[in-house]
Amino acid sequence: MAEPGKQLPEEVLALIFRHLPLRDRAAAARVCRAWAAAAVCSAVWHDTDISCCCAQEGMLPPFLSTCLDHIRHLRLEFEPSKEPSRRVATELLTALAGRTPGLRGLRLECRGEKPLFDAGRDVLDAVRAICRAARELRHLDLRRLPFTLDDALVLRAARGCPDLRSLFLNNGTLVGSVGPGSVLELLEACPRLGTLGLHLASLSHPALEVLAAPGRAPFALLALRCACPEDARAPALPNEAWAALRRRHPGLVVEVELEPAMPAESVTRVLQPAVPVAALRLCLSGDSAGPVRFAALHYAATLRVLEVRAAASAELDSALELLAGRCAGLREAHCFCVVRPSVRHAFLAHCPRLRSYTLKLTREPHPWRPTRVA
């Protein structure tokens, strides 16, 4: 402890405290009055990461409750299967809804297993409460929530967060309950929305038209996950609509993730030639060589990341070699099956911007680690 008169300035202490985990911040606040004042100042809490996986029960009051007003961007991690972790996370979200109208960004991440038949009502109710109260919310990321998201949440965000800039709803659930009507209302209510993650069934032709409207703010990223039965049954989005969207937003990046629920006929409806696909992740139960070949023919100018989880085959190897020869801008190539040596050679020879790859020539124990390109 420094002698009187030699105490570090509050702004220096705040700079140190902002890098401490929540438990250590609480401990620092109990050292002395000067440290307590620094530990609760706004600079410490502006960007905050909280893990309820290791948080002590009862930490929310009184220390954290005095700092909620200062949080602008929060990443909250918890384990839904562990009751204390979940309770602390839900209490924190509920307290935020009542205390922080200035919250700008919220990212939720679940760890561990999701309990069977768990709808996540308590967590989703808290998120809806935040969308109702935090009028300045700009970024909401729910990709790591294992619960089924619904229209009520999307409509609450549309009506409560007019300044929303990014919203990720493309989580890992196997049921899609966000309809295209609520997404259309969201786009009309949030004109500055420039980043959007959805399940395919939530997107519609009218939504593409709204995004392509002349007065629309720049739209930068669309992440599409195709994994639910609803996605497989979704109607095709016209290639002309994609072309119009691309003309309106020439910098648009589209990420596509295709899961085993997608049959071959649905895959061909998703992969339209005019879609500016920058990242393509394939984990199909059927043919993967066809989509890889399609990407080589139509996405050569835009593709930056390719990930394939499939059974090894000569057809897939040939498709990968074709793609490597055409996609010179590729940055990452990951194939989680054994490939022939000519596949690796093709990527290394024709993709000068390649930064990492997973292209194994022999079967190895999993997990397979990517190789960095020097």
Side-chain angles (χ1 to χ4, degrees), residues 172-373:
T173 182
L174 297 179
V175 178
S177 293
V178 176
S182 60
V183 171
L184 185 61
E185 182 170 333
L186 172 80
L187 294 176
E188 292 171 342
C190 304
R192 296 182 181 87
L193 192 67
T195 297
L196 184 60
L198 294 173
H199 284 265
L200 177 65
S202 303
L203 193 61
S204 64
H205 187 188
L208 294 183
E209 292 179 329
V210 169
L211 289 172
R216 188 78 190 184
F219 192 64
L221 172 63
L222 177 62
L224 289 177
R225 189 167 191 269
C226 311
C228 304
E230 294 83 1
D231 297 328
R233 295 191 294 266
L237 298 171
N239 192 59
E240 296 75 16
W242 285 110
L245 183 63
R246 191 171 181 178
R247 287 192 298 270
R248 177 64 184 83
H249 305 285
L252 174 63
V253 167
V254 176
E255 299 179 355
V256 178
E257 184 178 356
L258 297 170
E259 294 289 329
M262 300 297 289
E265 59 273 16
S266 297
V267 172
T268 58
R269 295 202 306 268
V270 176
L271 298 180
Q272 297 286 343
V275 184
V277 175
L280 180 61
R281 297 178 174 89
L282 303 173
C283 184
L284 299 171
S285 57
D287 172 47
S288 293
V292 171
R293 192 175 297 110
F294 187 93
L297 296 176
H298 297 285
Y299 306 145
T302 60
L303 194 64
R304 298 294 179 263
V305 177
L306 175 71
E307 182 178 306
V308 180
R309 299 178 184 272
S313 69
E315 292 79 9
L316 179 58
D317 285 344
S318 298
L320 289 169
E321 290 175 16
L322 174 65
L323 185 139
R326 294 177 59 87
C327 299
L330 204 67
R331 308 292 177 84
E332 298 181 33
H334 305 288
C335 187
F336 294 92
C337 66
V338 175
V339 299
R340 61 195 182 198
S342 57
V343 173
R344 180 188 290 181
H345 174 76
F347 280 99
L348 294 177
H350 301 299
C351 303
R353 298 182 181 180
L354 197 66
R355 297 181 300 197
S356 68
Y357 63 87
T358 307
L359 301 166
K360 302 295 183 179
L361 307 184
T362 58
R363 188 168 299 280
E364 301 176 9
H366 284 277
W368 288 0
R369 303 297 183 187
T371 299
R372 293 285 180 181
V373 178

Side-chain angles (χ1 to χ4, degrees), residues 61-98:
F63 171 66
L64 184 56
S65 61
T66 63
C67 307
L68 294 181
D69 292 339
H70 302 308
I71 296 178
R72 293 297 175 265
H73 298 273
L74 173 65
R75 187 185 73 86
L76 180 61
E77 179 183 297
F78 67 98
E79 296 187 46
S81 62
K82 295 185 177 180
E83 197 274 336
S85 173
R86 181 174 184 145
R87 183 171 64 253
V88 170
T90 306
E91 289 177 356
L92 175 58
L93 291 172
T94 303
L96 274 170

Side-chain angles (χ1 to χ4, degrees), residues 49-63:
D49 288 358
I50 297 177
S51 175
C52 297
C53 304
C54 59
Q56 295 176 348
E57 195 173 351
M59 182 171 288
L60 182 57
F63 171 66

